[in-house]
Amino acid sequence: MPRRKSEPGLEPNRRAELLRAAAKLFVDKGFAATTTRDIAEAVGMRSGSPFYHFRSKQELLKAAMIEGLDAGRERLLAAIDGVADPEQRLRVLVRTHLGTLLEGDCRSPLLVSETRALDDKARGEIAAAFDRYQVPWQQALDELAAAGKLASAAPPVRLLLFGMLNWSSHWYRPDGTLSVDELAEAAVALLLRQPPQGTKR
């Protein structure tokens, strides 16, 4: 649907708000069950307003995923800047990722299953964004494997790690007994080889 000439452009902060709200609804309700009215009401817009700025709900999903992943990647890179030790880098990556999912408002990594609603071109663009997001993770895993601290850095290890971290959003409760820091440490401990007892780390 083309934009109406009388409708002003969406300001960057409103665009980000719209994408965050759409991503949350797509995660919570599912893409098919989320209506245009749901998205508009979540950000205080009229029901048709989102489609002045996005041609379809599918385009909104694609933008929410790609822009969310790219923003998440920037947060990761900023968090690990200057961290040379790969074990510490992995800890920071895991903590930052969990913080984004459990403490922030970026739900993009949880929308993987909803890409079935998109065409091949859109899925390819999202896959490229995921690839960009995963680069620093694979680098840390490769270095840990080379140092003997990780049994394998094969790609399935990285994908299994993401699956484990992302699934925590289904059961983690902020008011529970486990903090995000503790959850991050537990996740890293599952991966890393532990030194023999009595050996200094």
Side-chain angles (χ1 to χ4, degrees):
M1 179 185 295
R3 299 180 185 179
R4 296 180 185 175
K5 293 183 179 179
S6 59
E7 180 74 6
L10 191 62
E11 296 177 1
N13 61 332
R14 290 290 282 162
R15 175 185 172 86
E17 182 184 2
L18 177 61
L19 291 176
R20 285 194 301 268
K24 185 178 188 306
L25 286 166
F26 292 153
V27 169
D28 293 345
K29 298 182 63 172
F31 177 79
T34 299
T35 66
T36 312
R37 183 179 297 277
D38 293 332
I39 298 169
E41 288 180 351
V43 293
M45 290 181 173
R46 289 172 295 178
S47 60
S49 293
F51 293 143
Y52 285 116
H53 315 290
F54 297 95
R55 288 174 295 180
S56 64
K57 196 168 71 167
Q58 284 82 0
E59 186 179 273
L60 217 170
L61 172 62
K62 184 185 81 169
M65 292 195 69
I66 292 175
E67 295 187 25
L69 286 167
D70 285 343
R73 177 176 174 271
E74 292 303 315
R75 282 192 291 274
L76 289 179
L77 294 178
I80 63 172
D81 184 36
V83 181
D85 177 59
E87 182 174 336
Q88 181 59 23
R89 209 180 320 137
L90 180 63
R91 293 180 188 279
V92 174
L93 288 169
V94 169
R95 179 59 179 84
T96 303
H97 183 82
L98 287 174
T100 296
L101 291 179
L102 305 177
E103 300 171 326
D105 51 16
C106 176
R107 313 300 296 280
S108 298
L110 303 179
L111 287 170
V112 177
S113 63
E114 299 298 347
T115 59
R116 63 182 179 272
L118 303 176
D119 59 26
D120 289 343
K121 182 176 182 297
R123 286 197 294 269
E125 292 178 52
I126 291 168
F130 267 114
D131 287 344
R132 292 191 295 271
Y133 187 84
Q134 294 177 62
V135 167
W137 296 79
Q138 190 62 52
Q139 290 172 340
L141 295 175
D142 287 341
E143 291 178 41
L144 286 167
K149 295 183 177 180
L150 190 67
S152 171
V157 173
R158 184 190 71 244
L159 297 175
L160 287 167
L161 174 59
F162 278 128
M164 175 179 69
L165 296 177
N166 291 349
W167 187 254
S168 69
S169 66
H170 293 277
W171 56 262
Y172 179 79
R173 295 292 178 269
D175 58 352
T177 59
L178 187 67
S179 70
V180 178
D181 287 338
E182 291 170 328
L183 178 58
E185 284 297 314
V188 173
L190 285 173
L191 283 180
L192 297 181
R193 285 178 167 171
Q194 299 301 315
Q197 288 187 352
T199 302
K200 292 183 179 180
R201 296 183 63 181

